[in-house]
Amino acid sequence: MKKLFLLIPVICLLSFKPAKSQLEQGRVLVSVTSTIGLGDFGTNLMNIGWTTQNVKYNGGGDGSTYSTYSINFLPRVGYFVIDNLVIGADLLANIKIRKSIDSDYKYTESTLAIGPFARYYFKTGKIYPFVEANAGFGIYREKWSNGSEGEDKEGLFIYGFGAGIAKPIGKNVMIDALVGYSSQTWKDEDNDRWIYGTIGLKAGITLLF
């Protein structure tokens, strides 16, 4: 009987499965991020907004009033192929609509792109520094109407890289911030290349499964 009591703790230890560490191979990462940048393009990702603009002409002419609506979405999903290294896919989708309240003018700009990303974490204690890189391919489209209608559609290439830190706030949740560079390139119908570069801060929340 005494031996049986001694075996009970051993059996419990053997049957106990330790919880996976947050950055262990085999885990799945899902996150949504937002971007604040020092540039004109790609700096308003992951937001929903509405803006009004009023133009007052010098000389007393009637002004023009415009309203702008924008919706942007930037989710990602990844898989830890080894401890600390996650590889996955980003989706970028946004639309911006600008309308004149005083005329028939309407302008729509939309972007849709998808591509791979890789992020490597360094476990140093209560925070995890990391580096990452990403790329994407998609479509950039412009449509406008002001008595007549027009449309441009171009292929889009995106890439970026940066470094940041992640802070666990639970067993399966982290918040993170990254400082990095992002570039977006497309060609118009005249074969002119439009290249936008953004240095910015990306912040988000990450779920681990």
Side-chain angles (χ1 to χ4, degrees):
M1 181 64 70
K2 186 176 182 180
K3 291 182 180 180
L4 179 60
F5 281 111
L6 291 174
L7 284 174
I8 291 175
V10 177
I11 295 171
C12 290
L13 287 173
L14 291 175
S15 62
F16 175 74
K17 294 183 179 180
K20 286 186 176 182
S21 68
Q22 288 180 309
L23 310 178
E24 186 176 278
Q25 179 183 7
R27 299 208 73 170
V28 174
L29 175 150
V30 177
S31 71
V32 179
T33 63
S34 62
T35 301
I36 303 171
L38 305 177
D40 181 54
F41 184 86
T43 60
N44 297 313
L45 300 178
M46 198 48 226
N47 68 60
I48 300 175
W50 174 65
T51 302
T52 60
Q53 176 186 1
N54 185 259
V55 181
K56 298 292 185 180
Y57 296 114
N58 187 23
D62 292 336
S64 298
T65 302
Y66 300 92
S67 61
T68 302
Y69 307 85
S70 61
I71 300 176
N72 305 273
F73 191 49
L74 182 60
R76 67 172 26 171
V77 60
Y79 179 80
F80 282 87
V81 293
I82 60 173
D83 290 357
N84 305 334
L85 175 62
V86 59
I87 295 177
D90 282 324
L91 173 67
L92 186 158
N94 67 55
I95 185 169
K96 180 170 66 175
I97 301 173
R98 189 168 187 252
K99 299 175 66 176
S100 171
I101 297 176
D102 311 304
S103 67
D104 294 330
Y105 173 81
K106 180 179 179 181
Y107 175 80
T108 303
E109 181 182 282
S110 60
T111 303
L112 180 64
I114 189 170
F117 81 91
R119 175 182 288 189
Y120 187 83
Y121 292 91
F122 302 89
K123 294 188 68 174
T124 59
K126 295 183 178 180
I127 62 172
Y128 306 149
F130 62 83
V131 292
E132 79 165 48
N134 67 283
F137 300 89
I139 296 174
Y140 172 77
R141 177 178 293 172
E142 294 176 293
K143 295 178 66 176
W144 61 88
S145 62
N146 190 10
S148 61
E149 295 186 353
E151 180 178 356
D152 280 338
K153 184 171 67 173
E154 296 91 22
L156 175 69
F157 173 65
I158 300 172
Y159 74 88
F161 53 85
I165 57 173
K167 169 65 176 177
I169 56 174
K171 291 183 179 180
N172 301 308
V173 181
M174 294 191 297
I175 55 174
D176 54 58
L178 174 146
V179 176
Y181 174 80
S182 177
S183 176
Q184 302 87 21
T185 303
W186 70 87
K187 287 185 179 181
D188 63 21
E189 59 184 4
D190 297 321
N191 244 3
D192 297 327
R193 295 179 67 196
W194 296 73
I195 304 172
Y196 288 84
T198 301
I199 297 174
L201 171 66
K202 180 188 291 185
I205 185 168
T206 297
L207 304 178
L208 300 167
F209 300 94

